[in-house]
């Protein structure tokens, strides 16, 4: 088995750097490598583009994240917070498209449609974005900034007040104090700032209440509290997130498959007709097209629906021991690889099948180039086309199941 693998690797590299069994010169090899790199970059770029063709779960349900965050909050100010996030001038500047328009713009040039519930969410949110509400939010922000400044000043004054008060209790002369202001004046300033903070907080709370009680705000917040609507969005989002990697892989395979089929056909035909340079370039392209396909297949196995099914099965059967998934993959992936290898060895690259087709087409059994029917050795690669029949000891074609002279069953020789 190891010798066979080595032989396949040697054949792969030999096929990748020879034309009609003649090695490429260094300049041609460099040019070929540069072509390979250019094509590979463009293939991955195309895969990235086509994987984004279908709308992602967060594009189909653009309202889910903010809605879920709102429901997860437990603070009393969560209603104002989400209204501020929607209507604040920094998040909704003048001249910007509406939220509903932003949602529907994601459909342009893509497959899929935005969730109807999220479009309803946007329809309720858009009226909140108006100049009056933005002015309220700006005023509240200004008052909050003033409150923060006064509270910071109070913290500094309180430290001075405590120090000055201790000095007075200890009987230390005023001229020896480390604080420039006496305790009474500090206390007066602290009280004044506290009253101003209380006033600003009351005004800020009144403005917040005014914003929340506006008709457009009430309608929007009541919609957010609808459990049925949110659960529908959440179920659809979870469903789409589960299947999205599979959809991406399907589009990526759809992108690669025509390239692989066409390049494989060109490579096969160029080999049959002896077009060495075309066969070499098409072989390189075929390898390049298979590289991202293998990468994407393994990526899907790690994050796709298949992986989710395994994780859910392990969680259900074994009580959440997810590290066992690694053991399962270590066992499963080699088995899948073994099955793929057996399939290609038996059907796609079976020496008997290849030899039968090449003999029928008067081609070399090894390199598939045209030869005369009775040539013993291939003039292109030098390969001996015949082997001795163990029954009649006459020459017969290698890899064919029966002797062409006596019809006896032939063993499969080593190539």
């Amino acid at each position: 088995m190891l010798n066979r693998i080595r032989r396949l690797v040697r054949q792969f590299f030999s096929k990748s750097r020879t034309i009609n069994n003649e090695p490429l010169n260094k300049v041609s090899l460099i040019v070929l490598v540069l072509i390979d790199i250019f094509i590979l970059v463009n293939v991955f770029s195309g895969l990235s583009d086509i994987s984004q063709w279908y709308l992602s779960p967060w594009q189909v349900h653009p309202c889910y994240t903010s809605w879920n965050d709102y429901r997860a909050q437990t603070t009393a100010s969560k209603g104002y917070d989400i209204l501020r996030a929607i209507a604040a001038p920094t998040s909704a500047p003048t001249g910007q498209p509406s939220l509903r328009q932003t949602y529907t713009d994601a459909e342009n040039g893509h497959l899929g449609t935005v969730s109807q519930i999220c479009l309803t969410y946007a329809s309720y949110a858009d009226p909140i974005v108006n100049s009056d509400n933005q002015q309220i939010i700006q005023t509240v922000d200004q008052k909050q900034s003033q409150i923060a400044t006064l509270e910071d000043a109070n913290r500094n004054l309180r430290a001075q007040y405590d120090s000055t008060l201790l000095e007075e209790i200890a009987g230390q002369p005023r001229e020896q104090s480390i604080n420039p202001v006496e305790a009474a004046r500090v206390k007066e300033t602290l009280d004044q700032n506290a009253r101003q903070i209380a006033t600003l907080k009351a005004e800020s709370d009144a403005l917040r209440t005014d914003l929340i009680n506006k008709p457009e705000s009430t309608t929007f917040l009541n919609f957010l509290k609808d459990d049925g609507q949110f659960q529908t969005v959440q179920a659809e989002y979870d469903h789409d997130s589960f299947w999205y990697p599979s959809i991406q892989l399907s589009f990526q395979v759809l992108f690669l498959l025509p390239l692989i089929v066409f390049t494989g056909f060109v490579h096969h035909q160029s080999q049959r007709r002896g077009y060495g340079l075309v066969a070499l370039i098409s072989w390189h392209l075929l390898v390049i097209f298979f590289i991202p396909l293998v990468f994407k297949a393994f990526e899907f196995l790690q994050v796709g629906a298949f992986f989710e099914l395994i994780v859910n099965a392990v969680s259900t059967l074994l009580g959440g021991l997810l590290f066992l998934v690694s053991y399962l993959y270590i066992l499963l992936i080699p088995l899948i690889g073994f099955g793929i290898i057996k399939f290609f060895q038996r059907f796609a690259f079976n020496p008997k099948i290849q030899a039968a087709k090449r003999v029928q087409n008067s081609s070399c059994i090894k390199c598939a180039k045209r030869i005369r029917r009775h040539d013993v050795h291939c003039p292109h690669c030098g390969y001996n086309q015949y082997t001795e029949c163990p029954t009649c000891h006459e020459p017969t074609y290698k890899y064919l199941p029966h002797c062409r002279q006596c019809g006896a069953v032939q063993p499969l020789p080593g190539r």
Side-chain angles (χ1 to χ4, degrees), residues 128-305:
I128 298 171
V129 185
N130 58 62
S131 57
D132 290 342
N133 291 344
Q134 290 180 338
Q135 183 59 49
I136 291 174
I137 292 170
Q138 284 183 330
T139 305
V140 170
D141 289 346
Q142 291 170 358
K143 292 183 181 298
Q144 289 300 118
S145 178
Q146 293 173 6
I147 290 171
T149 302
L150 289 171
E151 287 178 340
D152 187 56
N154 274 6
R155 279 191 292 271
N156 295 329
L157 288 170
R158 193 168 289 109
Q160 294 179 17
Y161 174 74
D162 293 341
S163 176
T164 305
L165 190 60
L166 287 173
E167 290 174 352
E168 291 181 356
I169 293 174
Q172 181 175 337
R174 184 73 190 84
E175 60 273 9
Q176 297 180 2
S177 174
I178 61 174
N179 296 305
V181 184
E182 61 185 22
R185 292 182 59 186
V186 173
K187 180 67 167 61
E188 181 182 352
T189 304
L190 282 171
D191 293 341
Q192 182 181 353
N193 287 350
R195 288 192 296 272
Q196 192 174 354
I197 288 172
T199 301
L200 289 171
K201 284 184 176 180
E203 292 173 352
S204 178
D205 290 342
L207 288 171
R208 292 185 183 201
T209 302
D210 184 33
L211 178 62
I212 290 173
N213 289 335
K214 287 201 169 187
E216 62 270 20
S217 301
T218 303
T219 302
F220 177 68
L221 292 175
N222 287 337
F223 176 77
L224 294 184
K225 295 173 184 176
D226 190 332
D227 291 336
Q229 298 277 26
F230 176 76
Q231 289 171 3
T232 300
V233 170
Q234 187 174 42
E236 292 175 352
Y237 180 85
D238 291 341
H239 175 271
D240 291 348
S241 298
F242 178 81
W243 287 108
Y244 186 60
S246 303
I247 294 172
Q248 284 185 304
L249 180 64
S250 300
F251 279 106
Q252 289 166 346
V253 171
L254 187 64
F255 174 80
L256 289 171
L257 198 58
L259 297 174
I260 292 173
V261 171
F262 177 74
T263 308
F265 174 77
V266 170
H267 179 68
H268 177 71
Q269 292 298 319
S270 60
Q271 274 194 316
R272 287 184 56 191
R273 300 182 182 184
Y275 301 153
L277 183 58
V278 177
L280 176 67
I281 293 177
S282 60
W283 169 255
H284 275 252
L285 292 178
L286 197 59
V287 172
I288 286 172
F289 297 149
F290 266 106
I291 288 173
L293 184 63
V294 172
F295 271 100
K296 294 301 177 181
F298 276 101
E299 182 181 308
F300 169 74
L301 291 175
Q302 290 297 324
V303 299

Side-chain angles (χ1 to χ4, degrees), residues 26-44:
K26 293 181 179 179
V27 175
S28 299
L29 191 59
I30 291 172
V31 171
L32 192 59
V33 170
L34 292 175
I35 293 173
D36 290 345
I37 294 172
F38 176 80
I39 296 296
L40 190 60
V41 169
N42 279 273
V43 168
F44 274 105

Side-chain angles (χ1 to χ4, degrees), residues 322-341:
L322 295 182
F323 67 88
L324 294 176
V325 174
S326 298
Y327 285 112
L328 188 59
Y329 266 90
I330 291 171
L331 174 65
L332 189 61
I333 297 303
L335 289 177
I336 293 174
F338 179 79
I340 293 173
I341 292 171

Side-chain angles (χ1 to χ4, degrees), residues 5-39:
I5 293 174
R6 288 175 179 171
R7 187 162 55 250
L8 290 174
V9 171
R10 284 197 301 269
Q11 289 176 357
F12 172 82
F13 283 106
S14 174
K15 198 170 185 178
S16 300
R17 59 192 181 193
T18 58
I19 299 178
N20 295 331
N21 296 309
E22 294 183 3
L24 282 174
N25 59 65
K26 293 181 179 179
V27 175
S28 299
L29 191 59
I30 291 172
V31 171
L32 192 59
V33 170
L34 292 175
I35 293 173
D36 290 345
I37 294 172
F38 176 80
I39 296 296

